[in-house]
Amino acid sequence: MGRETKETEENRKTRHKMVVVGPHVSIITLNVNGLNSPIKRHRVAGWIKEQDPTICCLQETHLSPKDKHRLRVKGWRTILQANNEQKKAGVAILISDKVDFKAKQIKKDKEGQYIMIKGTLHQEDITLINIYAPNTGAPKFVKQLLIELKEDINNNTIIVGDLNTPLTPMDRTSRQKINKEIIELNEKLDQMDLIDIYRTLHPKTAGYTFFSSVHGIFSVIDHFLGNNASLNKVKRVEIISNIFSDHNSMKLEIKYKNKAGKEGKNVETKQHATEQKMDH
């Protein structure tokens, strides 16, 4: 009996150690198709609370720079945005109050097509790039952006968003061949050692993020791209259906080593003030 008790105690300690060593980090992405309606904003905020991600990336917020205060979600005080004066495009990154995140650098464009944030999450470096590619010439746009941000992209980079581009024939119900621009984008991804995380882990899954009523085709045009070397950090990637947008969302779960230990809330509060300054 004594031996069993000892083993149980050791198992419990091991389980506790695992929880401390590998904090759960999840990133969700969704093209929200406009957030100017208060009802829509309320529904999206409710959905984010329900999903409870570490980081939430949104595209097509359609907010102007002066409307940025409209995007508020309780529990995600750090909200970084790139918005367009004409209320087109628009991207946002929301970071949960539950994590120890420190922002070091932010890059964004005035068109609201992308935002990049560099920082540390649980004291590990992370670079996150949230993209909304335009409907026309999307593969070319993404390729050019990757070239521009090449110096910022490394092993710890996650590129996320609505790229408006199916990267493989599997990404469309029509199974048609991919065009020259998409081939060139894939070649650029290969050169930079970037992979499509969902398609790498689900090579034969017919799951889709968007339905084009014009063409009658389901496709995967929302993606998580990451460095090939960091694939071992990925725990899971999945498509999640929702009812308030014309896109489905995607969720990525990654494992991080926790060097942070038990750092107090005051660290997060101080950091929040810093991030707000950087955003302005």
Side-chain angles (χ1 to χ4, degrees):
M1 184 74 183
R3 189 178 161 191
E4 279 177 24
T5 309
K6 193 178 177 185
E7 281 175 3
T8 308
E9 180 68 9
E10 278 175 8
N11 287 346
R12 190 185 63 75
K13 279 180 182 171
T14 307
R15 274 202 312 274
H16 176 66
K17 201 182 273 184
M18 281 167 74
V19 170
V20 173
V21 170
H24 171 86
V25 172
S26 63
I27 304 170
I28 59 170
T29 179
L30 176 65
N31 178 319
V32 290
N33 196 21
L35 284 177
N36 279 292
S37 152
I39 295 167
K40 180 88 167 276
R41 287 199 299 275
H42 180 73
R43 290 179 80 183
V44 169
W47 177 79
I48 292 170
K49 286 178 193 170
E50 189 185 306
Q51 293 295 328
D52 196 26
T54 313
I55 299 168
C56 178
C57 296
L58 304 177
Q59 303 87 40
E60 272 207 277
T61 55
H62 293 175
L63 297 174
S64 74
K66 67 175 187 292
D67 292 327
K68 57 187 277 185
H69 64 279
R70 291 187 172 185
L71 183 54
R72 284 186 188 145
V73 184
K74 194 176 179 185
W76 284 263
R77 283 176 301 172
T78 303
I79 300 175
L80 306 151
Q81 301 181 63
N83 295 316
N84 185 311
E85 290 288 353
Q86 274 80 45
K87 292 196 173 186
K88 293 175 184 172
V91 288
I93 297 175
L94 291 77
I95 298 165
S96 170
D97 299 348
K98 293 177 186 176
V99 290
D100 174 27
F101 178 82
K102 293 179 175 64
K104 292 179 178 174
Q105 185 188 2
I106 295 164
K107 278 187 188 178
K108 53 186 171 179
D109 70 338
K110 289 179 180 173
E111 305 303 313
Q113 303 284 170
Y114 87 91
I115 184 166
M116 182 199 84
I117 179 165
K118 280 187 162 199
T120 57
L121 187 65
H122 297 301
Q123 295 186 356
E124 283 205 22
D125 290 333
I126 184 170
T127 299
L128 195 66
I129 304 169
N130 182 12
I131 301 172
Y132 170 65
N135 287 319
T136 51
K140 210 170 181 179
F141 171 87
V142 176
K143 182 187 165 190
Q144 190 55 41
L145 186 59
L146 293 176
I147 292 167
E148 284 172 26
L149 298 176
K150 194 178 176 186
E151 297 303 311
D152 296 302
I153 296 170
N154 54 34
N155 289 3
N156 306 308
T157 302
I158 295 166
I159 299 163
V160 55
D162 178 1
L163 307 188
N164 259 315
T165 306
L167 294 170
T168 72
M170 269 300 290
D171 289 347
R172 275 191 288 221
T173 44
S174 62
R175 295 287 187 274
Q176 68 200 73
K177 285 184 181 176
I178 52 177
N179 64 29
K180 183 172 173 278
E181 282 192 349
I182 297 175
I183 290 167
E184 287 175 0
L185 171 57
N186 277 315
E187 284 170 356
K188 179 51 68 181
L189 293 175
D190 284 344
Q191 282 170 22
M192 297 176 76
D193 211 16
L194 291 168
I195 54 163
D196 176 352
I197 298 172
Y198 179 80
R199 192 48 72 205
T200 302
L201 295 179
H202 303 281
K204 293 177 181 175
T205 305
Y208 304 104
T209 63
F210 181 70
F211 175 70
S212 167
S213 51
V214 178
H215 301 106
I217 295 170
F218 286 93
S219 58
V220 181
I221 56 174
D222 306 85
H223 301 279
F224 281 110
L225 307 177
N227 188 279
N228 202 10
S230 62
L231 193 62
N232 61 344
K233 283 185 184 176
V234 175
K235 191 176 170 189
R236 182 187 303 139
V237 61
E238 59 185 327
I239 293 170
I240 301 167
S241 60
N242 70 63
I243 53 169
F244 51 77
S245 172
D246 55 353
H247 285 246
N248 284 330
S249 65
M250 295 187 90
K251 185 176 189 179
L252 175 70
E253 293 179 30
I254 43 183
K255 298 169 281 198
Y256 271 89
K257 292 177 191 141
N258 188 3
K259 301 174 194 167
K262 295 178 180 178
E263 294 202 9
K265 271 266 181 188
N266 58 334
V267 175
E268 292 166 21
T269 310
K270 275 186 213 162
Q271 187 51 33
H272 173 63
T274 309
E275 286 153 2
Q276 292 298 324
K277 276 182 199 166
M278 287 177 78
D279 197 26
H280 295 305

